[in-house]
Amino acid sequence: MSEPSYGRLSALPLTVEKCDVAAREQNSNAWTRRTTVVRLLGLGQVGAGEDVNYDSDEQLRFQATWQKAVPDALQSQLPIRSTLGGFLQALNRVALFDGVEGRTDMRMYRRWAFESAALALALQQSETSLSEVLGRESKPVRFARSMGLAKTDPIGALRTWLDAEPELRFKLDYSEHWDDQVVAQLSDLGVVDVVDLKGLYRGSFQGPPASREGYERVVQGLPDVWIEDPEINEETAAVLMPAIDRITWDANLHSVQDLWQVQTEPKVVNIKPSRFGTLESLLAVYDYCEARGIRCYGGGQFELDVGRRHIQALASLFHPDMPNDVAPVDYHLSKPAAGLPRSPLPVEDCFAGTGF
């Protein structure tokens, strides 16, 4: 039995001498997206990760008071000379968040920022790359642009992007406003790889209501697309079960254990690294999926900086030919700019020498 992927990385030596953060911001579609880049420094090298928490106020608070948010439990120990695995275990004793006990997602996002920064730093200090350590060949990455369709002129924005990049593929957020005409137009265009039904979101952010009519319209009208995160209930099950091999899961996946509990045995899953929080948990899922023949595609969290490069690098190693939601940051804008990067992304755009 081959060594688990995490085991290949955890023994890398790691020296952390300093920690700091930097703010990132982008305005698009009347929305200001804020993230925080976490930087770990040591032996003349810098490893960076990105906190993709969607709460702008929390991002501003973290940036203004990060020395308190990363308390003495970490700061007083610097410099730390250990291994990557040892440092990541030490993070278990550090409260990277003040409060928000009920917000597991926010804690996971911040933990991933520190874990990915530590991985990047350890790889650089050992003058090696993720590809080398894992023994996996990096390949050009196929990507799709993730977007929703406006209620008015729903196909207009999609056509604008196709005018700029005719080979572009899409991962679309479903809306209850989609009618037969919208689905027929999407079918005629033939550019959609995934439709995200967003049927698993609860609480402050809820996806569109699940209905047999709406789901049937998508499942039957777009017979070649992956169907992500449906709500399977008495009303929708009859529509979804004939398309069971096309059902994929995303929002409910945070560990291998979650793969045991999904409503349908997955053939394909969407992997968002920041949702898993820890490198060990993420790589365990990759190993599990590979061993069982479950295909993966990469998911994005509207990263603005190094976090985007990280998910591109992972896609390059684990699922380069899938409809990865890892399009370059240029694709976050509401309208296409000149000189858009094209899919597939070259390997050199996903990896830059040593590091992550």
Side-chain angles (χ1 to χ4, degrees):
M1 187 174 182
S2 62
E3 181 182 11
S5 296
Y6 180 72
R8 298 186 180 197
L9 292 165
S10 61
L12 287 170
L14 176 64
T15 296
V16 180
E17 299 169 336
K18 185 180 177 182
C19 172
D20 63 27
V21 304
R24 295 292 181 266
E25 182 176 304
Q26 185 183 71
N27 296 305
S28 178
N29 290 329
W31 176 49
T32 298
R33 171 57 163 150
R34 293 187 176 96
T35 68
T36 304
V37 174
V38 172
R39 304 194 326 148
L40 301 178
L41 300 86
L43 304 182
Q45 302 284 354
V46 180
E50 188 171 3
D51 181 349
V52 296
N53 167 29
Y54 285 92
D55 187 322
S56 287
D57 290 339
E58 169 55 32
Q59 292 284 15
L60 292 173
R61 189 201 67 80
F62 180 45
Q63 293 158 13
T65 65
W66 68 272
Q67 288 176 309
K68 293 181 180 179
V70 186
D72 289 345
L74 177 62
Q75 294 283 7
S76 64
Q77 297 179 46
L78 299 179
I80 295 174
R81 294 178 177 84
S82 182
T83 62
L84 176 61
F87 178 81
L88 298 184
Q89 282 209 348
L91 286 179
N92 292 331
R93 301 188 295 272
V94 177
L96 300 177
F97 247 111
D98 294 331
V100 296
E101 288 83 358
R103 291 297 305 274
T104 300
D105 57 339
M106 295 169 75
R107 295 198 304 273
M108 292 289 197
Y109 295 159
R110 184 156 301 164
R111 178 64 181 256
W112 176 248
F114 279 85
E115 296 237 350
S116 55
L119 172 60
L121 182 59
L123 290 168
Q124 290 179 59
Q125 289 177 349
S126 291
E127 297 184 347
T128 188
S129 70
L130 189 60
S131 175
E132 288 183 275
V133 178
L134 294 182
R136 305 184 71 95
E137 180 186 359
S138 54
K139 298 179 180 179
V141 173
R142 178 184 166 212
F143 65 80
R145 183 180 193 266
S146 179
M147 62 183 291
L149 302 180
K151 184 177 179 180
T152 303
D153 188 21
I155 308 299
L158 190 148
R159 290 188 183 279
T160 297
W161 283 96
L162 286 173
D163 288 343
E165 178 44 65
E167 301 301 316
L168 186 59
R169 309 293 298 180
F170 294 88
K171 177 180 183 288
L172 297 182
D173 293 341
Y174 166 73
S175 167
E176 68 269 32
H177 302 300
W178 290 13
D179 57 19
D180 290 341
Q181 183 179 11
V182 169
V183 173
Q185 288 177 296
L186 293 175
S187 178
D188 289 343
L189 286 171
V191 295
V192 182
D193 287 329
V194 183
V195 172
D196 183 358
L197 297 178
K198 295 193 176 298
L200 304 184
Y201 288 99
R202 301 291 185 269
S204 59
F205 174 78
Q206 295 190 21
S211 72
R212 175 168 181 157
E213 180 183 10
Y215 279 19
E216 187 171 48
R217 184 175 287 124
V218 172
V219 169
Q220 296 185 4
L222 300 170
D224 298 320
V225 306
W226 299 110
I227 306 298
E228 184 176 288
D229 283 356
E231 179 183 337
I232 302 178
N233 56 36
E234 291 184 1
E235 182 181 358
T236 63
V239 173
L240 293 167
M241 288 305 100
I244 191 170
D245 287 348
R246 292 197 283 138
I247 293 177
T248 80
W249 300 106
D250 168 26
N252 52 348
L253 300 183
H254 305 87
S255 67
V256 168
Q257 288 74 20
D258 291 330
L259 284 167
W260 305 339
Q261 298 172 14
V262 293
Q263 290 176 279
T264 66
E265 182 178 0
K267 299 285 191 300
V268 178
V269 292
N270 182 353
I271 300 294
K272 285 187 169 76
S274 53
R275 235 183 215 141
F276 292 87
T278 69
L279 184 63
E280 184 173 17
S281 182
L282 171 66
L283 292 177
V285 168
Y286 272 135
D287 288 348
Y288 179 91
C289 289
E290 187 166 57
R292 286 156 181 77
I294 300 171
R295 301 168 71 189
C296 305
Y297 57 95
Q301 298 271 32
F302 215 96
E303 300 86 357
L304 300 181
D305 200 278
V306 67
R308 204 67 174 179
R309 175 68 66 86
H310 289 167
I311 63 175
Q312 291 165 351
L314 289 163
S316 177
L317 295 179
F318 288 98
H319 35 80
D321 297 323
M322 294 295 284
N324 297 293
D325 176 15
V326 301
V329 175
D330 311 67
Y331 286 89
H332 289 347
L333 300 175
S334 56
K335 294 182 180 179
L340 282 171
R342 293 188 169 188
S343 179
L345 279 178
V347 169
E348 55 268 26
D349 286 0
C350 303
F351 289 93
T354 60
F356 182 8

